[in-house]
Structure formats: C-alpha cells, structure tokens
Amino acid sequence: MRKNHTLARLRQGEPALGLWVQNQSVHSARMIAAQGLFDWLLVDMEHVPLDLLLASQMLSAIADVSAGTCTPIVRVPTGTIDQIKRALDAGAHGVLVPMINTAQDAADVVRFARYPPLGERGGGGLLPHYSFGSTDHVEYIKHANDEVLVAIQIETQQAVENVDAILDTPGIDLVFIGTFDLHLSLGLTPALWSDHPVFQGALYKVIAACKARGIPYGTLAASAEGTQMRIALGFTFVGIGTDMRVLLGALHAQVDPLRSALASNQTSAEPHNEETSA
C-alpha cells in the first residue's frame, strides 16, 4: 500500500503545493495530475455541483496516473458522517472539512474519518484501497488511520475565538485557513489576503495556535508569487489557485492583447475624412 504523499511531506515540514479542481472532468484532472507539477489536487465538492460518481472517477484518475505522487483530496460540503465517509470510500486520500467552529465540530470530523479505535468509520468501502495502489481491503483498513489526511478549515470569527479548543482535538493533521470566508465573517470585503489589521490579527492568532501544537497549516493563494509569500509565513499546504482561474487567465492572456491589436489596426486603417476633420 502506498504512502500518502502529501501527508508525508507535511509531517516532514516540507511544502506540499497543489491546485483546487473545479472543472468537473475526469480527463482534465487526469491530465493535470500527469504533469508531475503538484503534490495534491483538491476536488471541490463544497461549492461545485459535482456528483459522487464523477468525483470517484476523478479521484481514481489522479491517484492512478500519478502512481500516488499526486494526492487526491476532497473538500466535502459539510462535516457530517455521510459526506466524510462517502468521500473517503470513493478514493480520496484525505478530506478537507469546511466551517469548523467548535471543538465538537473538530472531534466529529476525526471520529467520522478514522477507523476504530480512533473513530467509527465503517469498513465496507469497495474502492478506497485501490486508490492507494492496493488490492487488499484489510491492509488498507490497517493503515488508513495513519495515511488518510484529516484537515479542517478555520474560516469564521467563531472558529478563531475557539481555535485553541479546536486544535486541542486529537487526530487533526492539517489546519486550512479559509481566508476568503474569514474576511466575510470579520465584516470585511472578501479576499484571499489583505493587510487589514482585523484580518491579520485573526490570521496570526490561528498561526500561533498551530505552531504551538506543531500542526501544519495551509491556505489558498492566487498566484505563484502569493504562494511564495505564504510559504515564507510558514504555510506548508498551499494551493496555487484553481484550475478554472488558471484556464481563464491563460485565455485572457492570449486573447486580450490580440483583441486590442485588432482594434488598434482597425482604427488606424479607417479612411481619413477631410470634411469632418477640423
């Protein structure tokens, strides 16, 4: 059974760079994973209308084409047992759970994502061991508690206030700071990053709590430059934007200058009318 590539890097304090996957396509996910550019790809099921069958096919494609060197992760819609259990049984190597506001929320996530005796995840999954390159379901169950990444999102004012109690929950592998929604919760204009002192104060409170417990922390950036800035602040799990943002950005980078050039050429080619020029 393969190791969880991203979890191994985080445990060693090494950066694990990835990409948010919003495009609902097996082929797109497979092609991106095959490039060897990313340590992980996160299939977003919180804000994308993606069904579980298609998600399972995307997860399998990511794991198989990369031979486990690109970790398939799912952001589930909620931290309920059905969402977490089904994402892991579909072949995810880890789950990212949004809107964790209390210690009980965090404890529930761990309980639903771990097999006994650490939790109460059921052992009847048909597919998860194949995602780890194994044909032995029992072997997977024996090692899954060590190899499945359990990540929680801190993204509200309530979560920041409760961060110490939340992070004292055993079994959390990663804290993801959801900066966009954190801005919203703090009454600020939504953004992935800002220098607003209210946001910065909340951010560094979470970072300090993570450092005190030796828990890796991550976030989403909008560019490679932003990713480098986050790594300099100690973030080790960083998403370099989303696949759709990269796609649309590449399209604009190619077509916008072309449109401008064509418009300029058209203007310069217009006939000069002496009667209307004064």
Side-chain angles (χ1 to χ4, degrees):
M1 177 173 158
R2 300 178 187 133
K3 296 289 186 181
N4 185 317
H5 171 77
T6 293
L7 190 53
R9 291 188 66 84
L10 294 177
R11 286 170 174 167
Q12 294 165 8
E14 299 175 354
L17 305 181
L19 186 73
W20 233 249
V21 176
Q22 297 175 316
N23 188 12
Q24 301 148 62
S25 166
V26 175
H27 303 301
S28 176
R30 186 168 183 257
M31 285 188 286
I32 294 171
Q35 304 308 308
L37 297 171
F38 299 107
D39 297 300
W40 54 267
L41 292 179
L42 184 141
V43 177
D44 189 3
M45 297 188 71
E46 181 188 15
H47 292 304
V48 174
L50 176 64
D51 67 71
L52 187 65
L53 176 58
L54 179 54
S56 70
Q57 294 167 342
M58 293 170 68
L59 297 169
S60 298
I62 293 167
D64 292 349
V65 77
S66 71
T69 61
C70 184
T71 306
I73 301 171
V74 168
R75 178 164 71 172
V76 294
T78 62
T80 56
I81 189 169
D82 59 321
Q83 297 292 340
I84 293 172
K85 174 171 58 177
R86 298 190 79 192
L88 293 177
D89 283 352
H93 289 197
V95 288
L96 176 60
V97 184
M99 295 294 175
I100 299 302
N101 292 315
T102 67
Q104 186 60 55
D105 290 342
D108 285 344
V109 169
V110 174
R111 183 160 53 94
F112 301 152
R114 304 293 191 200
Y115 288 118
L118 302 181
E120 52 188 58
R121 179 184 170 193
L126 181 66
L127 300 172
H129 50 295
Y130 291 105
S131 185
F132 277 87
S134 174
T135 58
D136 190 333
H137 187 199
V138 174
E139 179 192 26
Y140 168 80
I141 292 175
K142 287 180 179 178
H143 298 287
N145 283 347
D146 293 325
E147 298 300 333
V148 167
L149 172 67
V150 176
I152 61 169
Q153 284 190 230
I154 301 295
E155 51 188 338
T156 67
Q157 183 175 2
Q158 182 185 8
V160 174
E161 292 169 354
N162 293 330
V163 69
D164 289 312
I166 291 172
L167 299 195
D168 281 340
T169 304
I172 296 171
D173 296 309
L174 171 71
V175 170
F176 186 91
I177 305 175
T179 54
F180 198 86
D181 279 320
L182 182 55
H183 276 87
L184 273 174
S185 181
L186 295 171
L188 306 174
T189 302
L192 287 180
W193 201 262
S194 77
D195 293 326
H196 196 289
V198 173
F199 166 71
Q200 289 289 317
L203 173 73
Y204 279 98
K205 181 177 180 180
V206 177
I207 290 176
C210 290
K211 287 183 174 180
R213 294 162 178 82
I215 300 176
Y217 51 97
T219 195
L220 181 65
S223 64
E225 180 183 9
T227 299
Q228 289 179 315
M229 293 172 59
R230 306 300 180 270
I231 291 173
L233 292 175
F235 289 89
T236 51
F237 181 95
V238 186
I240 311 175
T242 72
D243 59 347
M244 293 306 300
R245 183 184 179 93
V246 171
L247 171 61
L248 295 176
L251 289 173
H252 278 284
Q254 293 291 327
V255 178
D256 286 349
L258 177 61
R259 288 290 187 186
S260 296
L262 291 173
S264 177
N265 291 340
Q266 184 177 9
T267 301
S268 63
E270 290 179 355
H272 182 67
N273 189 336
E274 293 182 354
E275 293 183 1
T276 60
S277 61

